[in-house]
Amino acid sequence: MIRGAALALMLAGPALAEGEAGLCGQVWARVAEGLSPFGTVRQEAVAQEGDWCVVGRPVLDLDGQYLPDWHMDRLRFRGSALPWLVDGSVLPEGLEVAVEGLRLVVQTGNAQFDWLYAAQARANRIAAEASLAWDPAARVLRLEGLGIDFPGANSLDLRATVAGVDLSSTGAMQMSATGFALTGAELRIETHGLFEGYLLMPLGAALLPYEGDMDAAAERLRAGLLALVADLPEASVPPASKAALAALVGELPNPAGVLDLSLRADPGLGPVRFGGYALTGMPATLAEAAPLFLGVALDASWTHADAP
């Protein structure tokens, strides 16, 4: 599971570092194999540049009409995890991935629209970089940085620490899948159209009625979110953080500014903490969810800023 996630991350990010020509090709073949249930992977070339593996113009062609295909100008990756991705021969202590010119292109089956959508997507390229490090002795996996630069003044930066991760063998990874725990995370999101471009449509389609007064329906949704924020336990979410989240909700559906989130969890958030709800079902109220907040601290700030 973790190896498959790493492969998916590699495609979503930059190119693969190639210690030797054969290794880069083998890793890329593993990426294509891991993504084959979703669609077809193709590329122009796989080469080595210094200690980076570089894939030229990779594409993930998703199965099904109207699903956006993932096009990249370049994908680069490197790190000690590369042999592990191929055959598990070494411990995967580090992996870096970088994506250049990522764009999502919708295929409709209509030649005219497909050409227009492809041309439109070239003006909306996304760049991303990710760095992972694993400490075998402590069994800690760190996302040392995930940075995504979207078109315009839109970006996402994430760092996280996950305890209880053992990548030393297939059996150890299977055990980790039931015992890992997120112990800390730092997230910064700058949005000036980011929310509208990537989240508004799916959320709106799922939460808004098909007909009627949309403004009134949206206001009811905002009121529900504000009530949820107000009910969050202050031991985990202090008043200043609640005020920041409420200010963000108040700007929906067109928030503009910077959101900062800092999460700390002891002993962590993972399958063990959520496992009790496997039989009873997920909690319907915040009161029922109280055990999930034990040892959890969330600090939030929201700074409104008009687009530069």
Side-chain angles (χ1 to χ4, degrees):
M1 178 183 298
I2 294 174
R3 187 176 300 179
L7 291 174
L9 175 62
M10 288 168 57
L11 186 71
L16 179 67
E18 177 175 323
E20 54 189 76
L23 178 60
C24 289
Q26 291 171 14
V27 172
W28 182 243
R30 285 281 187 166
V31 172
E33 179 185 354
L35 292 168
S36 60
F38 305 101
T40 302
V41 174
R42 62 181 186 272
Q43 72 291 320
E44 287 188 355
V46 180
Q48 178 181 354
E49 293 183 7
D51 61 347
W52 287 96
C53 291
V54 179
V55 183
R57 298 194 177 281
V59 176
L60 171 59
D61 190 342
L62 293 176
D63 294 332
Q65 203 172 26
Y66 301 110
L67 292 176
D69 298 332
W70 292 49
H71 292 248
M72 285 165 266
D73 292 338
R74 231 172 44 138
L75 173 67
R76 297 180 294 119
F77 47 92
R78 67 180 176 183
S80 62
L82 299 188
W84 173 78
L85 289 168
V86 174
D87 56 19
S89 60
V90 300
L91 294 180
E93 297 184 18
L95 175 66
E96 295 178 66
V97 179
V99 178
E100 301 169 15
L102 170 64
R103 55 203 182 275
L104 308 181
V105 181
V106 175
Q107 294 286 329
T108 66
N110 179 293
Q112 181 192 65
F113 280 114
D114 288 351
W115 187 90
L116 291 170
Y117 281 135
Q120 188 179 57
R122 293 189 195 103
N124 295 288
R125 288 179 168 88
I126 300 168
E129 294 185 355
S131 177
L132 287 164
W134 178 57
D135 184 336
R139 295 195 308 154
V140 171
L141 179 68
R142 291 185 176 86
L143 177 61
E144 296 186 330
L146 169 62
I148 306 177
D149 184 11
F150 296 92
N154 295 286
S155 63
L156 180 150
D157 290 285
L158 174 65
R159 289 167 177 74
T161 302
V162 182
V165 177
D166 191 342
L167 306 178
S168 59
S169 68
T170 301
M173 287 189 293
Q174 291 172 344
M175 292 295 292
S176 295
T178 62
F180 73 89
L182 175 69
T183 59
E186 304 285 338
L187 173 65
R188 165 168 282 212
I189 298 175
E190 181 176 6
T191 175
H192 296 97
L194 182 63
F195 176 82
E196 297 92 320
Y198 293 89
L199 293 178
L200 180 59
M201 291 299 289
L203 288 176
L207 299 175
L208 289 172
Y210 288 108
E211 56 186 19
D213 188 335
M214 292 300 131
D215 287 334
E219 187 56 41
R220 287 193 295 270
L221 288 174
R222 274 192 296 269
L225 286 173
L226 289 172
L228 180 65
V229 169
D231 288 341
L232 290 171
E234 289 191 4
S236 295
V237 187
S241 294
K242 287 188 179 186
L245 294 174
L248 171 60
V249 170
E251 292 197 27
L252 295 175
N254 301 108
V258 178
L259 172 67
D260 283 292
L261 296 175
S262 176
L263 172 72
R264 298 177 302 283
D266 183 13
L269 296 172
V272 173
R273 188 178 290 234
F274 289 94
Y277 297 105
L279 298 176
T280 62
M282 291 303 292
T285 65
L286 281 177
E288 294 177 6
L292 298 179
F293 290 93
L294 294 176
V296 175
L298 176 66
D299 293 318
S301 70
W302 167 253
T303 304
H304 173 83
D306 294 327

